[in-house]
Amino acid sequence: MGNYIRFDWMIKRLLRNKSSYVVLEGFLSVLLNRQIKINQVLESESNQEEKEQKFNRVDLLVEDENKEKILIEVQNDHELDFFQRMAFGASKIITDYMKLGEAYKTIPKVFSINIVYFSLGQGKGYAYHGTTVFRNMFNADDELKLSPAQKTKFGVDEVAGIFPEYYILRVNKFDDEVTTPLKQWISFLKTGEIPDAFNAQGLEEARNILRVDSLSKEDRQVYKRYLEGLSLADGFGAGRAEGERQQAIAIARNLKAAGLDIDFIAQNTGLTKDEILKL
């Protein structure tokens, strides 16, 4: 057990206490690159906890002072359809918080922040941001933008400001030198440690709020059981992930033997071209 409480357990247990908001506000402010003030914690799936999701997934839905909805999800276990889960989560928030008969301009802005501890998709990086952009199908340089009247009515400058935005932090991929506030936060998410040199917003408060020795005896026992359960879930998830990988390799080997294109095989199995060429 390290010196500091895991971030997922923090949002699962401690953020019911408003005194802990400052830690999450710091993280969100650094990630979104603007000051975030949490207005309230809203109902989310984690409040309807299912037994099989007790350790591998934690989510929290908050509303900021601008009434924007921010969904933070931490996924510990390998999940092949996690992208679909992201799309569903953001869509559900829109439908849940838009009343029947209301004008479409009242659709809430949604930020989907996903902290994953497994190899999600293919990519060289560890921090990704996705927005909605409409490009001319016959002229890639032409982007469909909002009119002046729409900007005034909706209070945003870009089309992306209306649609959900997605952030993905592939924590286990982080191995860079810590040179920015966001990298300090990602380093903490990966290692669970906050070196004295770290000064990103929210981390100074985290040094006090998230200390394991600051927990009550009862909470410390609950946290210990959580870590034990997480360890078991990680082992199960690793076994399942390896099984899925072996299945993908078998499919790729058959497709390659059938003479199909390497790009096609990569797109349909999730393996890299180099991995397929070595089969």
Side-chain angles (χ1 to χ4, degrees):
M1 189 181 298
N3 295 324
Y4 297 101
I5 300 162
R6 282 178 58 100
F7 188 75
D8 48 354
W9 199 80
M10 179 199 80
I11 67 175
K12 189 182 188 73
R13 290 289 296 254
L14 299 186
L15 272 177
R16 301 302 168 190
N17 185 342
K18 287 189 176 182
S19 64
S20 301
Y21 283 8
V22 64
V23 177
L24 184 59
E25 287 172 343
F27 169 67
L28 294 175
S29 297
V30 170
L31 180 64
L32 302 182
N33 198 30
R34 61 183 175 86
Q35 287 302 309
I36 297 294
K37 183 70 175 178
I38 295 175
N39 184 35
Q40 61 178 323
V41 174
L42 301 171
E43 186 69 22
S44 67
E45 290 183 66
S46 62
N47 296 334
Q48 304 160 14
E49 189 176 275
E50 297 178 14
K51 184 176 181 180
E52 63 271 21
Q53 296 173 340
K54 187 174 182 180
F55 302 108
N56 71 341
R57 180 170 65 86
V58 176
D59 75 310
L60 180 76
L61 178 62
V62 301
E63 178 184 83
D64 70 8
E65 59 185 351
N66 298 318
K67 304 295 185 180
E68 297 174 331
K69 308 300 187 286
I70 305 174
L71 175 65
I72 305 101
E73 183 159 344
V74 182
Q75 177 73 24
N76 292 295
D77 195 6
H78 179 81
E79 190 165 333
L80 199 60
D81 57 358
F82 190 76
F83 285 118
Q84 287 85 342
R85 177 186 290 279
M86 288 168 50
F88 174 79
S91 301
K92 191 173 187 299
I93 292 171
I94 291 175
T95 57
D96 285 351
Y97 288 91
M98 182 179 178
K99 297 179 181 178
L100 185 64
E102 283 188 324
Y104 288 121
K105 69 176 182 179
T106 64
I107 287 177
K109 173 67 177 181
V110 176
F111 293 90
S112 172
I113 298 171
N114 303 274
I115 302 168
V116 300
Y117 288 85
F118 65 97
S119 297
L120 175 63
Q122 291 186 12
K124 297 179 180 179
Y126 51 83
Y128 293 86
H129 177 212
T131 62
T132 298
V133 176
F134 295 96
R135 296 198 181 280
N136 189 329
M137 295 173 65
F138 301 101
N139 180 1
D141 294 328
D142 176 34
E143 180 183 330
L144 184 63
K145 298 182 179 182
L146 297 178
S147 68
Q150 287 174 316
K151 291 181 181 180
T152 300
K153 184 173 183 178
F154 305 138
V156 295
D157 294 326
E158 305 290 342
V159 170
I162 297 174
F163 291 85
E165 293 186 32
Y166 298 90
Y167 289 82
I168 299 175
L169 301 180
R170 302 196 305 169
V171 176
N172 289 349
K173 290 289 185 179
F174 179 76
D175 59 3
D176 288 350
E177 181 181 355
V178 181
T179 55
T180 67
L182 179 56
K183 289 184 178 182
Q184 289 182 12
W185 262 104
I186 298 174
S187 176
F188 167 59
L189 293 175
K190 180 178 181 178
T191 67
E193 297 298 329
I194 312 175
D196 292 339
F198 281 16
N199 57 6
Q201 183 177 344
L203 286 181
E204 182 175 350
E205 292 81 0
R207 286 190 180 95
N208 298 318
I209 296 174
L210 302 186
R211 293 193 64 85
V212 173
D213 58 16
S214 69
L215 293 174
S216 67
K217 183 178 180 180
E218 180 182 357
D219 279 346
R220 197 176 302 183
Q221 290 300 316
V222 173
Y223 181 57
K224 182 179 179 181
R225 289 196 297 271
Y226 178 75
L227 293 180
E228 292 170 350
L230 186 61
S231 179
L232 291 174
D234 283 344
F236 174 76
R240 187 173 66 180
E242 179 59 25
E244 291 174 350
R245 175 174 170 78
Q246 292 303 318
Q247 184 180 26
I249 289 174
I251 293 172
R253 186 175 285 114
N254 291 335
L255 294 177
K256 184 179 179 183
L260 294 181
D261 181 72
I262 297 297
D263 287 332
F264 174 85
I265 299 174
Q267 291 173 4
N268 287 274
T269 62
L271 300 179
T272 66
K273 293 181 182 179
D274 287 340
E275 288 173 327
I276 296 169
L277 289 172
K278 292 177 182 178
L279 294 178

